[in-house]
Amino acid sequence: MQHSTGRILTFEILRFNPQNPQSKPKVVCYQLEETPGMSIFIALNEIREKQEPSLQFDFVCRAGICGSCAMVINGKPMLACRTQTKTFEHPKITLMPMPVFELIGDLSVNTGKAMREMAEKVETWVHDKRQDWVDITRLEEKMEPELADQIYELDRCIECGICLAACGTKRMREDFLGAVGFMKVARFLADPRDHREEDDFYDLLGNDKGVFGCMSLMGCEDFCPKELPHQQQIAYIRRKILFATG
Amino acid sequence: MKVVYTDSLVIGGGLAGLRVAIACKERGLDSIVLSLIPAKRSHSAAAQGGMQASLANSFKGLGDNEDVHFEDTVKGSDWGCDQKVARMFVHTAPKAIRQLAAWGVPWSRVTGGDRQVVVNAEKVTVTESQESHGLITARDFGGTKKWRTCYTSDGTGHSMLYAMDNRAIQEGIDIQDRKEAIALIHEGDQCYGAIVRDLITGELIAYVAKATTVATGGYGRLYSITTNAIICEGTGQALVLETGKAPLGNMEAVQFHPTAIVTVGILVTEGCRGDGGVLRDVDGYRFMPDYEPDKKELASRDVVSRRMTEHMRKGKGVPSPYGDHLWLDITLLGRAHIEKNLREVKDICESFLGIDPAEEWIPVRPTQHYSMGGIRTNEKGMSPGLKGLFSAGEAACWDLHGFNRLGGNSVAETVVAGMIIGEYVADYIDETDLYIPSGLIKEFLRQEQQKMDTLLHRPTGESAFAIRKEMQEIMMENVGIFRKGPHLEEAVNKLTLLLARARKVGVKTKQLGGNPELTEALKLEKQIKLALCVTVGAAKRTESRGAHAREDFPQRDDVHWLKRTLTYWETPADDLPTLAYEDLDISSMELPPGFRGYGKKNISPHPDTAKREAQVAQAQAAHADRHELQQALMPIELPSRYQGKNERYLKGLN
Ligand SMILES: Cc1cc2nc3c(=O)[nH]c(=O)nc-3n(C[C@H](O)[C@H](O)[C@H](O)COP(=O)(O)OP(=O)(O)OC[C@H]3O[C@@H](n4cnc5c(N)ncnc54)[C@H](O)[C@@H]3O)c2cc1C
Ligand code: SF4
Ligand code: FES
């Protein structure tokens, strides 16, 4: 539903600064007049510049590309920069930090740290012993154009963390790898330059911390801003792992 | 006192910074990368369009090589670049692409057989040879003779940055995010590292290193309307400037991109026009062929941006509540192409404009986009003012781009500079014994701590947010696409007043950690100083060159202005920068100054040009082999591992 502007919007925002021993979590309301094309990015900056200079949140690209700004908007994890206020019928908008991640303050959470840990676990790089011996003055190795496109499709994840915040399993068990990790596995399995096979991922994936922990609630698929094919890839990896282990 | 020691300190976790750190690590050196945000969120990720390298695999790239890429780059720079650097760059770019392929970038590939492309608003069939099937392909971009821009569908920068950061993780490099460098530690002519603020806890840490590389990206956020990420605030350039010893180069060289969407300034890639999109005015008329009959929409960026502005000034813009704009029409490319190769554009149009670009035209206008100027370095990437201080990527003025950068040459520069300068940083570290002046470190920590304390203890004061906004608007109004003496003077005056106000700002929130207001206030003075560098440089340069277009001085004046601006801030309390100039030496140019071929020729030629042209002609007659000719005209040095000739399909190593 689209609304004209000039509405008074009320933002209910969770405030908490763990750096300050006196700070206790509380919800604070801020009001703002809606302007045409207003996004949560614009609204939050306006609140910070005019009303509450200590408000913490993260934006970098403000264009839906970098994955910095995920937060829980009216109960749903979304990229705040891409969310337009006019899409909300009700003028009251609640903003919460994403669960699952370490809280930095207010709406800012430490996705960077979680993603680095995930990358180290999955080893999100091409495993090829000859990699450092490739003669880069020579023609590159050929690759089927469709295959390159296919790898890119799986490479589009922006590590925003939304799939983890939207995941029922992840909220119950901290050590669950989650959709973002599975997507990385799928990406490197699809890439012939990476010489790992399914069974190389067995320790990581073949248990409840891995694909067998997934309860198929598919919050990841519903909320992933890049619309990555989570359901299909998780099913695919499950099959692969089952086959690999006989 | 918290002090961290390392061999190679890299400030900036974008493509350039990460590549320098990888080079050092490969040479067995300890390396730390600092970044404001997780490295994969750096602005490099936003590059959708592509990376230039003369692979010459696809049909429209046949015949391309280093020489053609070199010529395009030098012309694009309006002869303002360092030609040796341009040569080093074009020679290494194909290697960079191929190395990234080995590191996992899924470059889009050539498909053998017929395919339809749009050229000059017409559908044309191109036949790719079967032998090139599966090699890395390229698209067309502005200002290039050949189709040379390699890409991964619609997310080149993203794929590159992810592959690069993953490589850094593979190497075990220590990448620390939410850390902001706020001052360089230096004494005499030596740089010793940086004072860094932890953006979570607010505490200060000294990082002491044998070599410090600043790779902090551009300074687009000095302007109110920009395609740049909100972290591109130029603090890296500012902390170099504040040493008083290391100069910035060509700060007035600021590029405006023709097609950012109205109102928010988010970029839609040049790939739109490269793939065949056209610009239209209020009447739906395609106007670019009238101005640039040859290159049309694919003239160099600075040229297209100026033509668009001219056309809007003639009343041909489309009025809107946010000012006039023009239309970018990509409907003619067809839905299938848009949804695959320009999906990011489609996403942006849907999310931020609520339109479908396969059906509707996109409202666009020229918007601040790229900083050609930056930290001046020599060909090895080191500052002429401080030993042990290096810079690479958009932060630097190495000087590959002169007064205008070609699309696709920037991500290429970040990686190539990272490769080359990374080797020189490692060489420097190998040759250096670090003497650690602990008193000096303490003193620098104390100074920065005091700045924070002063701010926190000042009972009242203006808000930094408001002053920053004023600065951005002054820059947009007075130091934009077209510049004029009186406007620039006015901007200098206004910015000087703002600087005085910035020195007295206050913060309401009185805590050290988790305090965005304090973070903002701490860098305000730096940003205004930088804005003054751009403005004073632009006011003094009484000619037009590349992106620097003076309405009162439309001529490119090679007699007086074939030189690079160097800007210093001599003592912290100064109100204005100090300028100096560095001549570009025609007698060593491989490509003597000429005409770029846009609009009417309006150049006042340098007296040495003719002499050099004769020498070049003579050399051309004497050397049949293009590599020998190049060496004879302008010998260059490269790290040994990047010296080899580049193989090309059908051409071998020729
Ligand atoms: C929208 C857009 C699209 C583009 N598309 C293309 C394209 O298609 N092709 C092309 O060639 N170029 C393109 N460019 C240009 C290109 O993307 C950039 O020039 C390039 O990526 C810059 O890379 P970098 O490594 O120098 O800096 P960045 O990627 O900007 O990284 C800067 C790093 O420095 C860190 N940093 C900054 N300040 C500090 C500080 N004080 N302390 C600590 N860390 C700090 C940041 O956290 C970040 O990690 C585009 C630019 C934009 C704006
Ligand atoms: S998979 Fe989707 S939701 Fe998860 S981190 Fe990547 S982009 Fe975000
Ligand atoms: S700020 Fe980059 S995705 Fe929202």
Side-chain angles (χ1 to χ4, degrees), chain B residues 163-351:
Chain B
M164 191 72 86
D165 187 50
N166 287 334
R167 172 76 185 188
I169 297 175
Q170 177 184 1
E171 296 278 352
I173 292 173
D174 184 3
I175 306 171
Q176 305 184 8
D177 58 42
R178 297 186 189 261
K179 295 272 190 327
E180 178 167 29
I182 57 172
L184 292 179
I185 307 168
H186 61 97
E187 189 177 51
D189 63 353
Q190 184 73 41
C191 176
Y192 293 99
I195 303 294
V196 174
R197 185 160 175 265
D198 183 315
L199 293 175
I200 298 179
T201 63
E203 72 174 335
L204 296 184
I205 310 161
Y207 284 74
V208 178
K210 289 186 179 171
T212 304
T213 306
V214 181
T216 48
Y219 46 88
R221 286 279 155 178
L222 298 181
Y223 288 81
S224 58
I225 306 176
T226 168
T227 63
N228 286 193
I230 60 167
I231 58 165
C232 300
E233 298 186 299
T235 52
Q237 286 90 349
L239 50 100
V240 169
L241 182 72
E242 286 187 332
T243 63
K245 292 169 192 146
L248 304 180
N250 283 345
M251 289 297 286
E252 66 272 31
V254 175
Q255 182 177 71
F256 285 74
H257 194 290
T259 60
I261 61 172
V262 180
T263 70
V264 276
I266 296 174
L267 181 80
V268 292
T269 170
E270 186 155 315
C272 290
R273 281 169 294 131
D275 291 0
V278 299
L279 292 167
R280 300 188 187 278
D281 65 12
V282 64
D283 307 320
Y285 176 69
R286 182 184 176 203
F287 57 92
M288 273 308 293
D290 295 354
Y291 293 96
E292 297 295 339
D294 193 26
K295 275 277 182 179
K296 307 177 184 71
E297 280 85 357
L298 285 174
S300 236
R301 277 185 186 166
D302 56 326
V303 176
V304 179
S305 289
R306 280 198 294 276
R307 296 313 200 182
M308 289 169 74
T309 309
E310 269 180 80
H311 201 62
M312 287 193 283
R313 283 183 177 177
K314 288 183 188 158
K316 292 295 179 185
V318 185
S320 89
Y322 309 100
D324 286 0
H325 65 77
L326 292 159
W327 299 112
L328 171 64
D329 173 9
I330 59 170
T331 58
L332 62 177
L333 308 186
R335 183 171 296 280
H337 181 91
I338 293 172
E339 288 183 352
K340 172 159 178 278
N341 289 326
L342 298 169
R343 177 171 41 185
E344 203 63 54
V345 173
K346 184 167 178 278
D347 258 13
I348 287 169
C349 288
E350 281 172 353
S351 311

Side-chain angles (χ1 to χ4, degrees), chain A residues 115 157-163 179-180 183 224-226 228 230:
Chain A
M115 292 301 164
C157 163
I158 54 174
E159 299 192 356
C160 64
I162 285 178
C163 55
V180 55
M183 194 51 68
C224 173
K226 292 287 143 181
L228 295 173
H230 291 288

Side-chain angles (χ1 to χ4, degrees), chain A residues 59-69 79 81 158:
Chain A
F59 290 95
V60 177
C61 72
R62 58 83 175 90
I65 294 166
C66 75
S68 297
C69 64
L79 293 180
C81 69
I158 54 174

Side-chain angles (χ1 to χ4, degrees), chain A residues 30-43:
Chain A
Y30 303 93
Q31 290 198 322
L32 205 62
E33 189 180 325
E34 190 173 34
T35 52
M38 181 178 262
S39 62
I40 303 286
F41 162 70
I42 295 173

